[in-house]
Each structure stands twice: as structure tokens, then as C-alpha cells.
Amino acid sequence: MTPTIAIQGFAGSFHQLAAHQYFGPETAVTPCATFTEVVRQVARGTATGGVMAIENSIAGSILPNYNLLQQSALRVTGEVYLPIRQHLLLLPGQTLADLREVHSHPMALLQCADFLNQHPEWKLVETEDTALSAQRIREGHLTGIAAVAGQAAAELFDLEVGAADIQSVPENYTRFLIINTAENAPQPATANKASVYFHTSHTKGSLARVLNKIADHDLNLSKLQSFPQPGRAWQYFFHADLEFDHADQFHEVLQDLEPLTEDLRVLGLYQRGDTQLTASTHAS
């Protein structure tokens, strides 16, 4: 089977750029309309891996994706930090004065809230993908409608940039996780990051004891995300990303966390992504 990577989105999307950045520019991708479909494709083996956005530096965490990972048996095997430049794309000859609607993925609209709020006359329409919104404008010759998407989509669908870099903060990044089945998960030679899930007893100080133990072992807790436990009101799972100098350091803290947590599960050990990229690295 030809290796393919499942992505949420379509040709010209940021997920495609993330896949190409991690796996190489010639990597074949399988477009999926939803993140649930990405997980399904990888779990079934119809894709050899997947790319899933997990958080954005402006819009924050994508909480449903934490649930998808927790409920699946997939492994996290890598990560990509991608600079995101969002543009307002229109049919050639259209101007901002012509616009009635702006279409894009909800996270893209959130990233550009400051700019879009300056135009209350525009109706914001949430769609499944940034690039697909651009494609629909071109194929349907939709006047009066713009898409929020990247430069790659503008070039692919021959749209004009009506307003460039409309994200609320110039340095806008999305973190993507690389996911695989346990059978296909590569074993990194020098892992320095891990993703884990756990929950604690619903008692005073239980989470603090976990965090103190992580600090005692001198690990960097780069992410701690809570999300509800279905059927257990006001009780939460926690997703933690831990950075360390060597794998033994992680395994030592893992042993100390087991008696302090419930359902402790390692989602994966991997090489942490490069966070030193600048916004000029990608024009998309």
C-alpha cells in the first residue's frame, strides 16, 4: 500500500502543509472532512498515519481532539509547529466593499476575530475547512463571499488576497500531532517529549501532588489540559505533555505517578517539534 497521511482538510489546507513539513513535500495525503474521520482512517489502517491540529497560539486548545485521542488506541509519534498566516481571499475583481459573507473553519475565524469584528456587516459562516471554503468560492464563482485561508489556497484556486495577515496576533502558530496505530508507531531513537493521560481522585490536593512530583524530577510540564469525564459530573481527565532530557528521566517519574493517579496511560514518546520557526517561514 502506498503510504498516505490522513489530514483534516483538503488541498491547500494548513494540515496539508503540516504533513508536508513533517513527512516531506511529496507525501500523499488523504483528505478528511472531520477529525473523527482522520482517527477512523488511521485506526482502520486505510492511512499509514495522521496529522491532527491540537492547539493554536491565538484560539487555544481544540478540546474535542483531546477527547478523540483519549477514546482511541492511537499513539502520538511526533509534532509540528506551523506558522499560520491567514488571508481574506476573494474572486478576482471583488473588493471588501462587495462582501456579504466570510466563510472558513471555526478556528480560523477565531484566529482573525479582531479583524472580522471591524466588519459587523459581514455574516460569518463556519465551514469544515479553510481551503475548501476557497475552492467553493472559485468553483461556484461566488461573488460577495470571501474565505479565510492561506496563500497556498489562494494560489491553488486563483483567488486574490483582499486583506493579508488578518490573524489577531502576527506570530500565530498551530501545533499539530502526528498519530499512528501502535503497530505502525516508529520507535524514536532519542525521545525527549511524552504525552500522557490520567485522572486523579476527587480529593483535595490530588492534582497538586502529581504536579509536584513532576517538578521534583525536573521535567518541563509544557501542557496540562483538562476535559470532562463523561458520566462523572465535575470530574476531569488530564492530558499532560512532558519534556525531558532523556527517556530514563521520564520512566522514573512515571513510576512515581502511578500511585498518585488513576488510568495513567502513555500516548506516546517522541521528538519535540521545532518551536523556533518565524512567521516568515511560511507564506501560507
Side-chain angles (χ1 to χ4, degrees):
M1 182 179 69
T2 302
T4 59
I5 303 301
I7 63 168
Q8 189 279 319
F10 299 83
S13 69
F14 292 109
H15 271 82
Q16 184 184 50
L17 292 177
H20 286 171
Q21 178 171 309
Y22 189 85
F23 293 101
E26 303 304 318
T27 301
V29 298
T30 299
C32 300
T34 65
F35 289 110
T36 300
E37 182 60 23
V38 171
V39 170
R40 185 179 296 119
Q41 292 272 356
V42 177
R44 289 177 176 174
T46 49
T48 51
V51 175
M52 172 187 286
I54 199 69
E55 59 180 325
N56 175 263
S57 59
I58 298 175
S61 297
I62 306 176
L63 290 178
N65 288 358
Y66 286 96
N67 276 311
L68 280 174
L69 284 173
Q70 192 271 336
Q71 293 165 8
S72 76
L74 299 180
R75 306 297 299 273
V76 178
T77 59
E79 65 179 4
V80 176
Y81 290 86
L82 187 72
I84 305 293
R85 295 177 60 188
Q86 300 283 17
H87 308 317
L88 195 69
L89 307 185
L90 312 89
L91 284 172
Q94 292 274 284
T95 68
L96 299 191
D98 298 319
L99 292 185
R100 305 183 311 275
E101 298 180 2
V102 176
H103 295 198
S104 197
H105 190 278
M107 289 297 285
L109 296 176
L110 280 173
Q111 292 167 33
C112 305
D114 289 354
F115 174 84
L116 296 173
N117 287 340
Q118 297 174 27
H119 299 275
E121 71 277 13
W122 295 346
K123 178 182 178 181
L124 305 184
V125 179
E126 296 183 353
T127 67
E128 58 267 58
D129 184 54
T130 55
L132 185 61
S133 300
Q135 181 179 353
R136 287 170 175 164
I137 289 173
R138 164 52 64 190
E139 292 181 348
H141 197 73
L142 303 180
T143 58
I145 298 177
V148 174
Q151 184 66 31
E155 295 172 359
L156 186 60
F157 303 114
D158 192 25
L159 296 176
E160 292 184 349
V161 177
D165 294 322
I166 63 171
Q167 63 273 5
S168 297
V169 178
E171 293 190 358
N172 179 27
Y173 295 85
T174 294
R175 177 183 175 225
F176 299 82
L177 297 181
I178 309 303
I179 55 176
N180 295 89
T181 60
E183 295 78 13
N184 289 334
Q187 299 299 317
T190 55
N192 55 15
K193 190 168 184 177
S195 294
V196 302
Y197 274 111
F198 64 90
H199 66 88
T200 63
S201 61
H202 198 50
T203 57
K204 185 184 298 184
S206 59
L207 179 59
R209 285 188 287 273
V210 171
L211 302 183
N212 287 335
K213 188 61 67 176
I214 292 171
D216 289 345
H217 283 269
D218 199 30
L219 273 72
N220 179 35
L221 179 64
S222 61
K223 179 72 176 182
L224 182 65
Q225 180 68 55
S226 65
F227 54 98
Q229 294 186 44
R232 303 179 70 179
W234 314 121
Q235 297 192 41
Y236 298 88
F237 284 110
F238 295 95
H239 174 112
D241 292 325
L242 306 173
E243 298 180 354
F244 42 86
D245 295 323
H246 51 82
D248 288 345
Q249 188 182 11
F250 170 70
H251 291 301
E252 289 170 3
V253 75
L254 201 63
Q255 290 180 346
D256 286 351
L257 292 182
E258 285 180 353
L260 302 178
T261 59
E262 301 173 17
D263 295 336
L264 177 64
R265 180 159 63 98
V266 179
L267 281 180
L269 281 81
Y270 50 95
Q271 276 283 334
R272 62 177 172 259
D274 183 4
T275 60
Q276 302 305 310
L277 298 170
T278 63
S280 62
T281 303
H282 284 273
S284 306

